[in-house]
Amino acid sequence: MNDPSETPMDGESSKELVREFMNEGKHLVHEQVRLMRMEVQTLVREGRERMQHDMSLAKTELKEEGAKLTRAGGAVGLGGILAHAAMYFVLFAAVFALDLVLPLWAATLIVAAVVGVVAAFLISGGINRIKRVRFVPRRTVQHLQEDRQWMNEKTHALKSAIRATA
């Protein structure tokens, strides 16, 4: 240590070296903050895009299920109209049966029974189709679960990056 060939650093060059080191440190911190900001912006943008995709998917699924419900409702409605007509035939048959003891009432009763059976068949089929309609957009729910997993992974990676630079 007391070797005269070794020259201690003079004060000014040490100060300059420390200044350069500090400036470089500041630059690295600013760069890291900028990169993290860009990462967060990308994460927000991708999250927004995923949400828009999910909303579009939900809208499509609900339209599909709504169309099924409309068709099923039409069958139930038609069945209801026929059931209503059957009721009138039964009433006509009762009136004719009481008024006239003729074969006319028997014919009217047969027609009413046939219409009633068709109405019951239509109503039953429509109700079964209504029960199969699902208003839970399953693909959208699955996609949202995938998005949640994606967001958790991205957030974890970002937290890890922040911890690594701290």
Side-chain angles (χ1 to χ4, degrees):
M1 295 230 184
N2 292 338
D3 184 5
S5 64
E6 287 184 23
T7 58
M9 285 195 192
D10 69 351
E12 283 305 309
S13 62
S14 318
K15 289 179 185 177
E16 185 61 31
L17 188 60
V18 168
R19 261 189 238 119
E20 286 179 25
F21 180 74
M22 294 296 287
N23 286 337
E24 187 63 29
K26 283 182 188 178
H27 175 71
L28 287 174
V29 167
H30 287 298
E31 187 63 21
Q32 192 66 27
V33 167
R34 186 185 69 78
L35 290 173
M36 282 189 225
R37 186 176 297 139
M38 287 174 53
E39 183 77 23
V40 168
Q41 289 170 345
T42 300
L43 187 64
V44 168
R45 181 179 42 78
E46 288 177 10
R48 185 179 305 125
E49 288 170 359
R50 283 173 169 262
M51 183 59 86
Q52 288 171 345
H53 178 264
D54 293 342
M55 288 295 131
S56 176
L57 182 61
K59 192 175 179 181
T60 300
E61 282 189 277
L62 290 175
K63 279 183 183 179
E64 290 170 0
E65 294 301 311
K68 290 178 189 176
L69 185 60
T70 299
R71 288 190 297 275
V76 170
L78 183 58
I81 290 170
L82 291 176
H84 187 77
M87 179 189 67
Y88 284 115
F89 284 123
V90 169
L91 291 174
F92 284 137
V95 169
F96 287 132
L98 291 174
D99 187 33
L100 305 167
V101 183
L102 295 173
L104 180 62
W105 70 267
T108 306
L109 190 58
I110 290 170
V111 170
V114 169
V115 170
V117 167
V118 170
F121 175 76
L122 287 172
I123 291 170
S124 175
I127 288 172
N128 287 336
R129 282 190 259 160
I130 287 172
K131 287 178 181 177
R132 287 192 303 255
V133 173
R134 291 188 172 95
F135 274 106
V136 176
R138 291 175 288 155
R139 293 183 311 227
T140 302
V141 169
Q142 179 183 355
H143 200 264
L144 284 170
Q145 289 170 344
E146 291 169 4
D147 286 351
R148 183 181 65 201
Q149 180 65 29
W150 172 83
M151 186 63 82
N152 286 339
E153 290 170 4
K154 290 289 190 173
T155 303
H156 180 69
L158 187 58
K159 285 179 182 178
S160 295
I162 290 170
R163 282 189 207 117
T165 60

